[in-house]
Amino acid sequence: MTSPTSKYSDEILRRVDMMGTVTVQELSQIMGVSDQTIRRVTRPLAESGALSKVHGALVSNKSALDPPFLSRMNLNREAKVAIAQVVAEIVKDGDSLAIDTGSTSAFIAQMLRERRELTVVTNSAFVASTLAMIPGNNVSMAGTQLRDHDGASFDRSAFQVVERARVDYCILSASMAHPEKGFLVHEQCEVEMAVAMMESAARSIMAVDASKFQPQERKPALRQPNLHDGDILVTDVAPPDAFRASFAHLDVHISSIDAKIG
């Protein structure tokens, strides 16, 4: 005989796989059960790897968001959540945004679920699916062909959508920061997308955790476009002194100590 918990487990997995990402509250409303029931049933599902939990949401392990992307979301998770909270405080209801792909951007999208009437253009399937079903939001997925390791699009149609946009903020991420070279990424398409998003935005927000200020074994070699005077850097600790001069023109927010430098 199938137990109620087993019945809920099967239904939860079916819906999470179908939707890709869904919050506990949304599942509670859809299934007509309490938040506590959803959390109790999904705990062993997450422990067994049947699905994954990120801040405020359940994510299918069968979606386009494959394990490398989900693994990156678990790296420095607390720092990324804190950074996302600060970005969500900067963004106001009714703002328009261009959001890039990446694990930090994914956490920011989760936090932005608390905002209303957002206009969003993004090349990230995770970001698009996270924000598209919020009542009042207007979300455009830029691109048609998605990369298999992170669900991001960099085809020509993605650039066309972003280039036509005019937004209040673009929200960017980077693989590493260098005191002289600036923010760095691994792929040229990421540089080109950052350029397109910055040109579409009145102001840019760069969101990176403290690990990006440290040397890395696999060093990215491609430079992101330079941030402009008054653009925003959000991170979780004060950057090392070597970065002070290069960040002097930015509005720097330190999430862990609620301070600003620059």
Side-chain angles (χ1 to χ4, degrees):
M1 182 176 179
T2 303
S3 68
T5 298
S6 176
K7 177 185 68 175
Y8 289 144
S9 297
D10 293 342
E11 180 64 9
I12 287 172
L13 278 176
R14 186 182 72 81
R15 291 188 177 275
V16 172
D17 287 343
M18 177 179 65
M19 300 174 73
T21 180
V22 62
T23 68
V24 170
Q25 290 75 20
E26 286 171 337
L27 271 181
S28 172
Q29 294 172 359
I30 291 169
M31 297 178 60
V33 298
S34 67
D35 291 2
Q36 291 80 5
T37 297
I38 299 295
R39 292 190 178 93
R40 184 177 68 252
V41 176
T42 55
R43 189 178 298 115
L45 293 175
E47 291 172 351
S48 69
L51 53 75
S52 294
K53 286 187 175 183
V54 300
H55 186 74
L58 306 168
V59 179
S60 171
N61 285 344
K62 295 181 180 178
S63 71
L65 309 170
D66 69 356
F69 180 84
L70 295 172
S71 295
R72 290 199 305 276
M73 290 192 72
N74 287 325
L75 291 174
N76 305 310
R77 181 181 182 278
E78 291 184 2
K80 292 173 183 178
V81 169
I83 289 167
Q85 181 64 57
V86 172
V87 174
E89 291 169 358
I90 294 170
V91 175
K92 306 304 180 187
D93 290 350
D95 279 350
S96 54
L97 312 166
I99 307 177
D100 75 357
T101 188
S103 57
T104 303
S105 296
F107 281 109
I108 291 170
Q110 293 288 349
M111 287 293 184
L112 289 175
R113 293 178 68 86
E114 300 301 315
R115 295 284 169 261
R116 290 295 179 267
E117 307 295 331
L118 296 178
T119 298
V120 178
V121 57
T122 181
N123 67 323
S124 165
F126 186 102
V127 172
S129 63
T130 298
L131 295 173
M133 290 184 285
I134 304 298
N137 282 357
N138 182 358
V139 177
S140 296
M141 175 65 204
T144 56
Q145 184 175 8
L146 305 180
R147 298 195 302 195
D148 62 0
H149 68 275
D150 63 356
S153 180
F154 292 93
D155 59 25
R156 183 57 199 158
S157 64
F159 286 95
Q160 289 174 337
V161 171
V162 172
E163 288 163 355
R164 288 196 296 266
R166 289 296 178 267
V167 297
D168 298 311
Y169 298 101
C170 69
I171 299 174
L172 305 173
S173 55
S175 300
M176 185 178 140
H178 187 278
E180 286 82 40
K181 298 177 182 178
F183 295 99
L184 305 173
V185 293
H186 290 283
E187 298 186 55
Q188 182 62 33
C189 61
E190 296 173 331
V191 176
E192 293 169 356
M193 183 58 72
V195 170
M197 288 187 171
M198 287 182 70
E199 289 180 349
S200 76
R203 200 174 186 192
S204 301
I205 301 174
M206 176 64 73
V208 292
D209 66 77
S211 70
K212 304 301 190 294
F213 300 115
Q214 305 301 321
Q216 298 181 21
E217 182 177 349
R218 181 174 174 243
K219 296 180 181 179
L222 300 173
R223 297 177 64 173
Q224 293 279 57
N226 293 327
L227 297 176
H228 302 140
D229 289 354
D231 282 344
I232 300 169
L233 170 64
V234 182
T235 186
D236 57 310
V237 301
D241 289 342
F243 290 87
R244 187 167 294 272
S246 57
F247 291 165
H249 65 299
L250 301 178
D251 182 8
V252 183
H253 294 239
I254 312 298
S255 62
S256 61
I257 56 176
D258 192 26
K260 296 182 182 181
I261 64 171

